[in-house]
Amino acid sequence: EVHLLESGGGFVQPGGSLRLSCAASRFTFSSYGMSWVRQAPGKGLEWVSKISGGGGSRYYADSVKGRFTISRDNSKNTLYLQMNSLRAEDTAVYYCAKDDSYYFESWGQGTLVTVSS
Amino acid sequence: QSVLTQPPSVSGAPGQRVTISCTGSSSNIGPGYHVHWYQQLPGTAPKLLIYGNTNRPSGVPDRFSGSKSGTSASLAINGLQAEDEADYYCQSYDSSLSGVVFGGGTKLTV
């Protein structure tokens, strides 16, 4: 069974930065695209970003374009999300998900990011 | 305002059948696009329920079924059980936005 474990969430002031990690196991990590999906408190799901299996293609939601950077290290089976210029509206639980052709077969447990002064 | 439109809430008694609708447009639920459904139990991560409009992952009971017609899709749950009480989300890819889109979610009360 696929296992995804996010880390790196926490409390940050507006304008600050944070890097999330997602450790993957029990599947061939480099063969699959991976995505980040977030959920603001009490709200619905919002797709944030996707990266292809080899890392050569990256896609972003308009709400984070230019501020967030997705990357991966296939030698470490780890997905990353570098978040810069954070805003209050970025406050959410961030999930990493195994991306099977633009649907999400497996999800991590999520990591909470709180942006507040 | 979500790109895909779902009813905020639905309810049903144990044993009954409920359906949850998901309405989009030709750029996301139109021909050639697939709809997927997720179940999110309180305090947990979403779980894939239906993929490719009608397919159930291994382990998902056959009480759950999906369908798609035109620019709308539906999730049906037969034989409602108390454990089905959760939030349900539809999802697709939108070619105009070049990204994944979700419905706003539907809270099912049993």
Side-chain angles (χ1 to χ4, degrees):
Chain A
E1 184 181 337
V2 169
H3 191 239
L4 300 169
L5 183 64
E6 302 93 338
S7 61
F11 187 94
V12 61
Q13 292 188 333
S17 298
L18 214 54
R19 187 175 87 153
L20 306 183
S21 299
C22 171
S25 59
R26 303 175 194 167
F27 69 104
T28 306
F29 183 67
S30 60
S31 295
Y32 290 91
M34 296 291 295
S35 278
W36 289 96
V37 178
R38 69 185 180 183
Q39 186 170 34
K43 303 297 185 182
L45 301 171
E46 179 189 16
W47 172 76
V48 173
S49 181
K50 170 178 178 170
I51 187 168
S52 60
S57 298
R58 309 177 191 201
Y59 311 90
Y60 299 93
D62 287 344
S63 57
V64 306
K65 204 170 292 183
R67 300 187 299 123
F68 290 12
T69 302
I70 192 171
S71 62
R72 65 191 297 160
D73 185 337
N74 287 344
S75 69
K76 296 182 178 179
N77 286 354
T78 302
L79 173 73
Y80 302 101
L81 185 68
Q82 177 67 42
M83 304 185 295
N84 298 330
S85 302
L86 283 162
R87 307 166 179 166
E89 54 264 36
D90 296 317
T91 294
V93 173
Y94 285 73
Y95 298 100
C96 67
K98 179 171 171 276
D99 188 324
D100 291 86
S101 299
Y102 290 106
Y103 68 90
F104 310 116
E105 179 196 63
S106 301
W107 299 64
Q109 90 293 342
T111 187
L112 176 63
V113 172
T114 303
V115 184
S116 175
S117 55
Chain B
Q1 194 81 349
S2 301
V3 173
L4 305 181
T5 300
Q6 298 180 233
S9 63
V10 297
S11 64
Q16 284 188 334
R17 168 188 165 97
V18 296
T19 62
I20 299 172
S21 61
C22 176
T23 302
S25 66
S26 57
S27 66
N28 46 59
I29 306 186
Y33 294 96
H34 295 295
V35 178
H36 321 289
W37 292 89
Y38 302 87
Q39 176 193 60
Q40 187 175 32
L41 298 170
T44 70
K47 168 191 168 184
L48 180 66
L49 207 58
I50 298 287
Y51 67 96
N53 303 324
T54 61
N55 304 293
R56 282 187 309 276
S58 172
V60 173
D62 59 7
R63 302 186 295 106
F64 296 90
S65 63
S67 64
K68 189 189 113 169
S69 179
T71 57
S72 293
S74 289
L75 172 71
I77 310 173
N78 292 302
L80 270 179
Q81 300 179 3
E83 67 209 49
D84 298 333
E85 195 160 282
D87 294 323
Y88 293 83
Y89 294 90
C90 61
Q91 177 251 307
S92 186
Y93 177 85
D94 191 292
S95 57
S96 298
L97 299 174
S98 298
V100 167
V101 290
F102 285 95
T106 298
K107 182 175 183 58
L108 169 63
T109 300
V110 180

